[in-house]
Amino acid sequence: MRKRVFAIAVIVALLASLSQGQAPSDLARQHLESGIQFYEQQRYNQALNDFQIIVTSMATSEYADDALLRIGRYYLDVEEDFAKAKDNLDIILRSYPTSDSAPGAYYYLGEVTYRSDRTGKTLDDAVANYQRVFLYPDNPWIPAALYSTGTALERQGKFQEAVDAYFQVIVDHPRSEWTAGARLGVGRSFVRQGDPVEAMTQFQEARNTHPDSREAESALDWLTLLFRLYGTRMLGQNVTFRRDPGFNPVLKEKLDDVVAVRASASGIHVLERDKKRVMTFDRQGKLASSQQAVEPYGLSVDARGELVVANERAVTVEGKPVTFAVPSEKGPKPLEKIRLAVRDRLGDIYVYDENEKKLLRFNPSGDLVGPFPDSTPREILRVEMDPVGNLLLLDKRDRDVNVLSPEGRAIARIQTQKGQWGLKKAVDIALDPAGYLYILDEEEAKVAVFDASYQFVTLLTQQSLGGGALTKPVTLDVDASGDLYVYDEKEKAIVHLK
Amino acid sequence: MSTTRKRKPSFISNKGLVPPKRYARRRTLRSRSLAVALALASALAASAQDDELLLRLSQQLTEAKVLFEDPQRQSQSIDFLGRIVDEIEERRRSGGEVPPEILDLQHQALELRARAFFDAGQLQGAGDDFRHLLLDNPRYALNPESLSPKIVDFFEDQKKQLIGYIAVTTDPAGARVSVNGNFVGITNFFPVEVHTGLARIEITLEGYQGYVDDNLRIEPGEINTLDLVLTRTSARLPIITDPPGVEVVVDGQVVGVTSGTLPPDLRSFMPPDLDPSRLSSPFELMSLPLGQHHIELRLKCYETLRFPFRADEPRDYTAQIVKLNDSIGRVSVTSNPSDARVFLDGEFKGNTPLELNRVCSGDHRLEVKHPTGKYVEDISVGADESLSFECPIRPTLAVVDLIADDGVPARDLEDMRQKLTAELRNLSVMNVVFPDADAVNRIIGGGGARSLVPALAPPTAPPEHIREASEKLGKALEVEAILLGHVPAQRLTKDVVLHFLAVGSPAPDRYALNYLDRDALPAFVEKLSMPTKLHGSWIGLTTVDTRLTEGPIVLAVDSGGPAAKAGAQMGDVVQSVAGAPVTKAVDLLRAVRGMEPGASLSLTLVRGGATETVSVTVGTTPLEIPLNEDGFLYNKAIVDLRHRMVVEPAVAGLAGLNVALCYMQLGDYETALKEYLPQVTLAETTGISQGTVLYYTALAYLRLGERAEAARIFQQALAFEGATIQSNDGPRVVPLAQRRLREAGR
């Protein structure tokens, strides 16, 4: 039906052009402008129609490459159909290699690879495509390509090279839309290289040069986080959090049986198991929403900020429950004791089932990919995913935190009960935007902080956590600026520490 | 017989001689036709026709002479000569002035024909022709040595009938005598030939009453003598000046200039206070009409003298001996920089600092020229006035042309030109000149001024063309910068793209404006007027924003910097600046940038819960030009900074560094490396320092592909731990150099 409608549209457009005596290039331009307008209004079907008309019937016009680029971008950004995006972009490089859109095609091909990469192994291909943008001198995609090269290198852990790429954006294109982001990238990379002071300088520079940008806000979070952890120590002071008295959720009844607190851009999310609900509070502690959940056991926030609720027999993602099954001799066996769930950037869901005693990975369609990292039975208390897709597992038995790459390779292991931090009973783990790991000790109300390389940074004692504000913390999370949100079971309240 | 007369002038009625009738008789039918033809010719073509006539008749005369010389055929020459005579006569009758060469031809022909007639025994004809000659010129004479006495006598006989003589003496002599309107001579003269009959004689001498006699009868062969005392009607005033060379103006009219030296015989008559050797010879004001006159004596560098003179009687007056007083001033010229060449009214006078002790009073054009620019001023010097001029040398901008694409209305283009010219005259930081467009095109050659604009240059123009053309133009016009406008084919908007090019730069700055926007041109001129900043305000405080405090937190304090001296410490929270609350680090930055160096800035800091206000004396930080910034005029910065390298030696290094950066921004790494960076030496301190210079030097090598050299110098830069770029607070050189080393190694 859709194809028939499209064909009719093509014929109508052609007839219209013939009757009006319009030159094909004029008509193509009009369709392009119309398509762009529809796209901006998010009327993607109409937009796609316009672009397809150009590609199909006016392939020789000077706008055909633009249309293809926009189609490719649609599939990439809207439908996230990487294969279709790639197909359209490849046409540009085959049929219009010298057009203005060719560097854009290379850029988006790089994006296709980047966004579809899970393990980091294809990031080199992404970088290669970004670099091909430079084959076309003085084209407008260069700053974007440089920036994306930086992000790809950053994800690969090549932080020095990432800084180089970001700096090229900053120095060579100081007024581009990518410059503020590049400054953040430099800052992040310096954080990962263990130079928080330089990182702070860069984040502040982002605020100074782009004071009204979205990046300025993000930089402020970074600065807060870093200064709290490093700046205070540079001053010879201990890292100290104080309780925010303004965060005082007013509820009809006290919170109880909170098993998870999670912070995201949309607020502070609290999972109450007995009451079977997920509540969301704003930064001032005001209740924003409350949603019923079916047998909820676990709560996480994915890379896009979506809540992932582990229900006993399903995982609720974006409000929709998804059930999972594993193969058995008797056929697919549904998971019935799901306790934890996290979702990665590409939509794979990692589910811990207490019956299976495994962390199982399912693709976005719900099909089992396999046990993660292997079939070894485990008792997992908490699962977290860092920004690059590594998984952190808090083992229930030994209370160790194991860090695993997306392929399941062991990256690090933190023995929480040993070392200078010596936690008595680790009950929860959280990650801040810098990738710093916070491990909560329930018994002594302490938090051990490790950097993104899993090196110990500091131990937050009861005194430094709000001056004894915590008695029996059972779950915590860290927001973008490093503030802590802790549920204290004794006080039956969410404590905001900043 | 002669008649001597001495009498006062009187008016006699005018009666002229009647032309001989034989002229009317001698016109042939052919001559008549020719005369008509000639009469019909236009006055404008007369000159060309006369040339043709002269040539042709000369040839005919030559042929006629051949016949004349041949005794056997001499008689045949009569007709030939007759044709010549008649044709010229027709020409004479057609009106307009007849060239004397043609008249001379006629006279030659008449004489030859007369002689031919005589030799043929046709005395009537001979007589007619001789009389014709004599009527044209009463002083006509035959050459007796080449002719037979008979013909000479015959001629003299004709002359006697037609010619009388007149001799005129006057008191005073020197009068001009005309008879029948023809000038005869200056009195006093011996008898001269005049036509017989009633004649009108006019005798004139300036300053004297004229004499006219309309009824002077001239008898054949008789000498008429006139001896007259002329009645003076005007005064005579000699003027002697010290010095000579004085312009004499009488009643507003320049009548002459005194000159020469005083004759020795007059020296004893001069006043004793005058130096006779300095006096001019007497300048005679002859023929001064009776009455009141205003006399003015003018000489450059002297006071003009004015005096009235009343001529009551027509006589000689006593000489006016006048000494003019000097009218000079003194001009002292200094310049920055010094050792500039000083020109006064185009004449080289010396180099600054310069004292000119004898400058004529009046208006002058002072030009002070230096390799980095010039200073031009029109000055007015009064007598005995001492003037001092401190001449700031400024770069000069040549506004070359506005080039329009086809289709731009000429009226619009002219309007744009006028607006641009008017607005640029407001530019005070540069001299502005408007050279002739054709001259500019000749100097540049090739594509002309258009080729200075990259978009308009011919595709075959070599890459160095713009630089070389700018250097040619700069040298020829003595300018440091060039401005060229391009008006593209217009649609709805009226756009002009101005291209500003420093001499020696590889590419111009481009500045587009809509000329209908009345603020656009003033904004451009203001941009040109803004100096390129080499220093900015600085206090040596790095702050960061966090959510932990209301105000920014001090992250670092530059030791030895103003904030450190005031007592600021790391960890302090900035609460307010100059009394105004501060919530962001950028607020503090803006406040500091808005202060002048040396000003006092109060900061309220919170430390450990306590508040303290400190007073910070704002310092300065060197600045680099912003790189890759749209709208920044890099060529203009080059002009500014090249000038400052000379006039401000203290900042020569920093200015040179920035000029190098401008060239690098324009893609000319070679010039940056060869001409500027090697000359720059900065202190080996923190901030913008020698490490900065090394960094950019290495970067230039890297851009030129010389990786090994680049790596070597980047390595040197690593030793300068505290060096920064952009400003003292800018990014550190060391990590940048490390990054570039990696790039150089790839």
Side-chain angles (χ1 to χ4, degrees), chain B residues 643-668:
Chain B
H643 182 63
R644 290 183 70 179
M645 283 173 73
V646 177
V647 304
E648 295 179 57
V651 300
L654 184 59
L657 171 64
N658 277 288
V659 173
L661 292 179
C662 287
Y663 273 99
M664 289 169 70
Q665 173 69 34
L666 294 168
D668 188 356

PDB file of all heavy atoms in Angstrom, chain B residues 643-668:
ATOM      1  N   HIS B 643      53.442  48.199  12.257  1.00  0.00           N
ATOM      2  CA  HIS B 643      53.707  49.587  12.632  1.00  0.00           C
ATOM      3  C   HIS B 643      54.162  49.654  14.085  1.00  0.00           C
ATOM      4  O   HIS B 643      55.142  50.341  14.408  1.00  0.00           O
ATOM      5  CB  HIS B 643      52.425  50.391  12.422  1.00  0.00           C
ATOM      6  CG  HIS B 643      52.570  51.835  12.711  1.00  0.00           C
ATOM      7  ND1 HIS B 643      53.410  52.662  12.005  1.00  0.00           N
ATOM      8  CD2 HIS B 643      52.001  52.624  13.642  1.00  0.00           C
ATOM      9  CE1 HIS B 643      53.342  53.886  12.481  1.00  0.00           C
ATOM     10  NE2 HIS B 643      52.497  53.893  13.490  1.00  0.00           N
ATOM     11  N   ARG B 644      53.479  48.919  14.933  1.00  0.00           N
ATOM     12  CA  ARG B 644      53.825  48.984  16.352  1.00  0.00           C
ATOM     13  C   ARG B 644      55.176  48.356  16.627  1.00  0.00           C
ATOM     14  O   ARG B 644      55.865  48.726  17.573  1.00  0.00           O
ATOM     15  CB  ARG B 644      52.746  48.284  17.179  1.00  0.00           C
ATOM     16  CG  ARG B 644      51.442  49.073  17.197  1.00  0.00           C
ATOM     17  CD  ARG B 644      50.400  48.439  18.064  1.00  0.00           C
ATOM     18  NE  ARG B 644      50.745  48.549  19.465  1.00  0.00           N
ATOM     19  CZ  ARG B 644      49.992  48.086  20.448  1.00  0.00           C
ATOM     20  NH1 ARG B 644      48.870  47.456  20.163  1.00  0.00           N
ATOM     21  NH2 ARG B 644      50.356  48.211  21.709  1.00  0.00           N
ATOM     22  N   MET B 645      55.593  47.430  15.810  1.00  0.00           N
ATOM     23  CA  MET B 645      56.914  46.840  15.997  1.00  0.00           C
ATOM     24  C   MET B 645      57.993  47.913  15.915  1.00  0.00           C
ATOM     25  O   MET B 645      59.038  47.799  16.549  1.00  0.00           O
ATOM     26  CB  MET B 645      57.179  45.785  14.910  1.00  0.00           C
ATOM     27  CG  MET B 645      56.464  44.475  15.134  1.00  0.00           C
ATOM     28  SD  MET B 645      56.638  43.348  13.749  1.00  0.00           S
ATOM     29  CE  MET B 645      58.345  42.851  13.926  1.00  0.00           C
ATOM     30  N   VAL B 646      57.712  48.931  15.144  1.00  0.00           N
ATOM     31  CA  VAL B 646      58.709  49.991  14.973  1.00  0.00           C
ATOM     32  C   VAL B 646      58.518  51.106  15.996  1.00  0.00           C
ATOM     33  O   VAL B 646      59.467  51.608  16.581  1.00  0.00           O
ATOM     34  CB  VAL B 646      58.625  50.560  13.539  1.00  0.00           C
ATOM     35  CG1 VAL B 646      59.596  51.703  13.352  1.00  0.00           C
ATOM     36  CG2 VAL B 646      58.904  49.465  12.524  1.00  0.00           C
ATOM     37  N   VAL B 647      57.259  51.491  16.192  1.00  0.00           N
ATOM     38  CA  VAL B 647      57.046  52.672  17.034  1.00  0.00           C
ATOM     39  C   VAL B 647      57.039  52.338  18.517  1.00  0.00           C
ATOM     40  O   VAL B 647      57.163  53.226  19.349  1.00  0.00           O
ATOM     41  CB  VAL B 647      55.737  53.404  16.642  1.00  0.00           C
ATOM     42  CG1 VAL B 647      55.742  53.779  15.186  1.00  0.00           C
ATOM     43  CG2 VAL B 647      54.511  52.598  16.980  1.00  0.00           C
ATOM     44  N   GLU B 648      56.831  51.093  18.848  1.00  0.00           N
ATOM     45  CA  GLU B 648      56.821  50.706  20.270  1.00  0.00           C
ATOM     46  C   GLU B 648      57.801  49.561  20.477  1.00  0.00           C
ATOM     47  O   GLU B 648      57.408  48.385  20.543  1.00  0.00           O
ATOM     48  CB  GLU B 648      55.423  50.253  20.681  1.00  0.00           C
ATOM     49  CG  GLU B 648      54.367  51.341  20.627  1.00  0.00           C
ATOM     50  CD  GLU B 648      52.993  50.793  21.027  1.00  0.00           C
ATOM     51  OE1 GLU B 648      52.845  50.252  22.142  1.00  0.00           O
ATOM     52  OE2 GLU B 648      52.078  50.894  20.200  1.00  0.00           O
ATOM     53  N   PRO B 649      59.054  49.863  20.588  1.00  0.00           N
ATOM     54  CA  PRO B 649      60.059  48.799  20.721  1.00  0.00           C
ATOM     55  C   PRO B 649      59.783  47.867  21.893  1.00  0.00           C
ATOM     56  O   PRO B 649      60.123  46.683  21.835  1.00  0.00           O
ATOM     57  CB  PRO B 649      61.363  49.574  20.930  1.00  0.00           C
ATOM     58  CG  PRO B 649      61.120  50.919  20.348  1.00  0.00           C
ATOM     59  CD  PRO B 649      59.661  51.203  20.546  1.00  0.00           C
ATOM     60  N   ALA B 650      59.130  48.399  22.918  1.00  0.00           N
ATOM     61  CA  ALA B 650      58.887  47.552  24.097  1.00  0.00           C
ATOM     62  C   ALA B 650      57.989  46.370  23.776  1.00  0.00           C
ATOM     63  O   ALA B 650      58.042  45.345  24.433  1.00  0.00           O
ATOM     64  CB  ALA B 650      58.258  48.393  25.205  1.00  0.00           C
ATOM     65  N   VAL B 651      57.138  46.521  22.789  1.00  0.00           N
ATOM     66  CA  VAL B 651      56.223  45.420  22.456  1.00  0.00           C
ATOM     67  C   VAL B 651      56.567  44.798  21.110  1.00  0.00           C
ATOM     68  O   VAL B 651      55.764  44.050  20.545  1.00  0.00           O
ATOM     69  CB  VAL B 651      54.743  45.886  22.444  1.00  0.00           C
ATOM     70  CG1 VAL B 651      54.343  46.416  23.790  1.00  0.00           C
ATOM     71  CG2 VAL B 651      54.497  46.900  21.357  1.00  0.00           C
ATOM     72  N   ALA B 652      57.756  45.107  20.614  1.00  0.00           N
ATOM     73  CA  ALA B 652      58.115  44.625  19.280  1.00  0.00           C
ATOM     74  C   ALA B 652      58.046  43.105  19.206  1.00  0.00           C
ATOM     75  O   ALA B 652      57.587  42.539  18.216  1.00  0.00           O
ATOM     76  CB  ALA B 652      59.509  45.117  18.905  1.00  0.00           C
ATOM     77  N   GLY B 653      58.516  42.460  20.256  1.00  0.00           N
ATOM     78  CA  GLY B 653      58.521  40.997  20.249  1.00  0.00           C
ATOM     79  C   GLY B 653      57.115  40.438  20.187  1.00  0.00           C
ATOM     80  O   GLY B 653      56.800  39.586  19.353  1.00  0.00           O
ATOM     81  N   LEU B 654      56.262  40.927  21.044  1.00  0.00           N
ATOM     82  CA  LEU B 654      54.881  40.436  21.074  1.00  0.00           C
ATOM     83  C   LEU B 654      54.155  40.781  19.784  1.00  0.00           C
ATOM     84  O   LEU B 654      53.404  39.975  19.237  1.00  0.00           O
ATOM     85  CB  LEU B 654      54.164  41.039  22.275  1.00  0.00           C
ATOM     86  CG  LEU B 654      52.742  40.576  22.522  1.00  0.00           C
ATOM     87  CD1 LEU B 654      52.691  39.072  22.738  1.00  0.00           C
ATOM     88  CD2 LEU B 654      52.152  41.292  23.732  1.00  0.00           C
ATOM     89  N   ALA B 655      54.397  41.987  19.287  1.00  0.00           N
ATOM     90  CA  ALA B 655      53.767  42.377  18.026  1.00  0.00           C
ATOM     91  C   ALA B 655      54.257  41.487  16.894  1.00  0.00           C
ATOM     92  O   ALA B 655      53.476  41.039  16.051  1.00  0.00           O
ATOM     93  CB  ALA B 655      54.056  43.846  17.708  1.00  0.00           C
ATOM     94  N   GLY B 656      55.558  41.216  16.901  1.00  0.00           N
ATOM     95  CA  GLY B 656      56.114  40.350  15.857  1.00  0.00           C
ATOM     96  C   GLY B 656      55.536  38.951  15.927  1.00  0.00           C
ATOM     97  O   GLY B 656      55.222  38.343  14.897  1.00  0.00           O
ATOM     98  N   LEU B 657      55.369  38.454  17.124  1.00  0.00           N
ATOM     99  CA  LEU B 657      54.749  37.132  17.281  1.00  0.00           C
ATOM    100  C   LEU B 657      53.355  37.144  16.671  1.00  0.00           C
ATOM    101  O   LEU B 657      52.952  36.231  15.946  1.00  0.00           O
ATOM    102  CB  LEU B 657      54.689  36.757  18.752  1.00  0.00           C
ATOM    103  CG  LEU B 657      53.886  35.495  19.095  1.00  0.00           C
ATOM    104  CD1 LEU B 657      54.528  34.251  18.482  1.00  0.00           C
ATOM    105  CD2 LEU B 657      53.742  35.316  20.600  1.00  0.00           C
ATOM    106  N   ASN B 658      52.605  38.174  16.960  1.00  0.00           N
ATOM    107  CA  ASN B 658      51.242  38.243  16.452  1.00  0.00           C
ATOM    108  C   ASN B 658      51.179  38.450  14.950  1.00  0.00           C
ATOM    109  O   ASN B 658      50.276  37.940  14.294  1.00  0.00           O
ATOM    110  CB  ASN B 658      50.455  39.329  17.190  1.00  0.00           C
ATOM    111  CG  ASN B 658      49.891  38.836  18.503  1.00  0.00           C
ATOM    112  OD1 ASN B 658      48.948  38.059  18.531  1.00  0.00           O
ATOM    113  ND2 ASN B 658      50.486  39.239  19.596  1.00  0.00           N
ATOM    114  N   VAL B 659      52.128  39.188  14.407  1.00  0.00           N
ATOM    115  CA  VAL B 659      52.159  39.310  12.940  1.00  0.00           C
ATOM    116  C   VAL B 659      52.411  37.929  12.340  1.00  0.00           C
ATOM    117  O   VAL B 659      51.786  37.535  11.356  1.00  0.00           O
ATOM    118  CB  VAL B 659      53.251  40.296  12.485  1.00  0.00           C
ATOM    119  CG1 VAL B 659      53.382  40.281  10.959  1.00  0.00           C
ATOM    120  CG2 VAL B 659      52.922  41.708  12.937  1.00  0.00           C
ATOM    121  N   ALA B 660      53.322  37.205  12.950  1.00  0.00           N
ATOM    122  CA  ALA B 660      53.585  35.846  12.462  1.00  0.00           C
ATOM    123  C   ALA B 660      52.319  34.999  12.524  1.00  0.00           C
ATOM    124  O   ALA B 660      52.004  34.247  11.598  1.00  0.00           O
ATOM    125  CB  ALA B 660      54.688  35.195  13.293  1.00  0.00           C
ATOM    126  N   LEU B 661      51.569  35.134  13.598  1.00  0.00           N
ATOM    127  CA  LEU B 661      50.333  34.367  13.726  1.00  0.00           C
ATOM    128  C   LEU B 661      49.331  34.763  12.645  1.00  0.00           C
ATOM    129  O   LEU B 661      48.599  33.922  12.117  1.00  0.00           O
ATOM    130  CB  LEU B 661      49.717  34.575  15.113  1.00  0.00           C
ATOM    131  CG  LEU B 661      50.510  33.984  16.276  1.00  0.00           C
ATOM    132  CD1 LEU B 661      49.820  34.277  17.598  1.00  0.00           C
ATOM    133  CD2 LEU B 661      50.675  32.489  16.115  1.00  0.00           C
ATOM    134  N   CYS B 662      49.296  36.037  12.321  1.00  0.00           N
ATOM    135  CA  CYS B 662      48.397  36.478  11.245  1.00  0.00           C
ATOM    136  C   CYS B 662      48.787  35.807   9.934  1.00  0.00           C
ATOM    137  O   CYS B 662      47.929  35.313   9.188  1.00  0.00           O
ATOM    138  CB  CYS B 662      48.461  37.986  11.069  1.00  0.00           C
ATOM    139  SG  CYS B 662      47.662  38.932  12.374  1.00  0.00           S
ATOM    140  N   TYR B 663      50.077  35.803   9.648  1.00  0.00           N
ATOM    141  CA  TYR B 663      50.507  35.161   8.411  1.00  0.00           C
ATOM    142  C   TYR B 663      50.193  33.672   8.425  1.00  0.00           C
ATOM    143  O   TYR B 663      49.783  33.097   7.415  1.00  0.00           O
ATOM    144  CB  TYR B 663      52.002  35.386   8.176  1.00  0.00           C
ATOM    145  CG  TYR B 663      52.296  36.675   7.450  1.00  0.00           C
ATOM    146  CD1 TYR B 663      52.705  37.810   8.142  1.00  0.00           C
ATOM    147  CD2 TYR B 663      52.139  36.774   6.073  1.00  0.00           C
ATOM    148  CE1 TYR B 663      52.948  39.003   7.482  1.00  0.00           C
ATOM    149  CE2 TYR B 663      52.371  37.970   5.398  1.00  0.00           C
ATOM    150  CZ  TYR B 663      52.774  39.075   6.112  1.00  0.00           C
ATOM    151  OH  TYR B 663      53.003  40.252   5.463  1.00  0.00           O
ATOM    152  N   MET B 664      50.365  33.062   9.574  1.00  0.00           N
ATOM    153  CA  MET B 664      50.040  31.635   9.663  1.00  0.00           C
ATOM    154  C   MET B 664      48.545  31.427   9.446  1.00  0.00           C
ATOM    155  O   MET B 664      48.124  30.487   8.783  1.00  0.00           O
ATOM    156  CB  MET B 664      50.474  31.087  11.025  1.00  0.00           C
ATOM    157  CG  MET B 664      51.988  30.986  11.151  1.00  0.00           C
ATOM    158  SD  MET B 664      52.580  30.645  12.819  1.00  0.00           S
ATOM    159  CE  MET B 664      52.066  28.960  13.068  1.00  0.00           C
ATOM    160  N   GLN B 665      47.760  32.303  10.000  1.00  0.00           N
ATOM    161  CA  GLN B 665      46.311  32.197   9.811  1.00  0.00           C
ATOM    162  C   GLN B 665      45.960  32.309   8.336  1.00  0.00           C
ATOM    163  O   GLN B 665      45.042  31.659   7.843  1.00  0.00           O
ATOM    164  CB  GLN B 665      45.616  33.316  10.601  1.00  0.00           C
ATOM    165  CG  GLN B 665      44.133  33.435  10.362  1.00  0.00           C
ATOM    166  CD  GLN B 665      43.362  32.267  10.919  1.00  0.00           C
ATOM    167  OE1 GLN B 665      43.724  31.712  11.952  1.00  0.00           O
ATOM    168  NE2 GLN B 665      42.294  31.873  10.245  1.00  0.00           N
ATOM    169  N   LEU B 666      46.712  33.142   7.599  1.00  0.00           N
ATOM    170  CA  LEU B 666      46.460  33.311   6.176  1.00  0.00           C
ATOM    171  C   LEU B 666      47.115  32.213   5.342  1.00  0.00           C
ATOM    172  O   LEU B 666      47.081  32.254   4.114  1.00  0.00           O
ATOM    173  CB  LEU B 666      46.982  34.691   5.716  1.00  0.00           C
ATOM    174  CG  LEU B 666      46.243  35.887   6.318  1.00  0.00           C
ATOM    175  CD1 LEU B 666      46.991  37.178   6.058  1.00  0.00           C
ATOM    176  CD2 LEU B 666      44.833  35.983   5.759  1.00  0.00           C
ATOM    177  N   GLY B 667      47.719  31.266   6.026  1.00  0.00           N
ATOM    178  CA  GLY B 667      48.310  30.140   5.325  1.00  0.00           C
ATOM    179  C   GLY B 667      49.739  30.370   4.862  1.00  0.00           C
ATOM    180  O   GLY B 667      50.310  29.550   4.159  1.00  0.00           O
ATOM    181  N   ASP B 668      50.314  31.493   5.249  1.00  0.00           N
ATOM    182  CA  ASP B 668      51.662  31.813   4.783  1.00  0.00           C
ATOM    183  C   ASP B 668      52.658  31.513   5.899  1.00  0.00           C
ATOM    184  O   ASP B 668      53.153  32.407   6.582  1.00  0.00           O
ATOM    185  CB  ASP B 668      51.721  33.290   4.379  1.00  0.00           C
ATOM    186  CG  ASP B 668      53.031  33.644   3.709  1.00  0.00           C
ATOM    187  OD1 ASP B 668      53.915  32.774   3.632  1.00  0.00           O
ATOM    188  OD2 ASP B 668      53.167  34.803   3.287  1.00  0.00           O
TER     189      ASP B 668
END
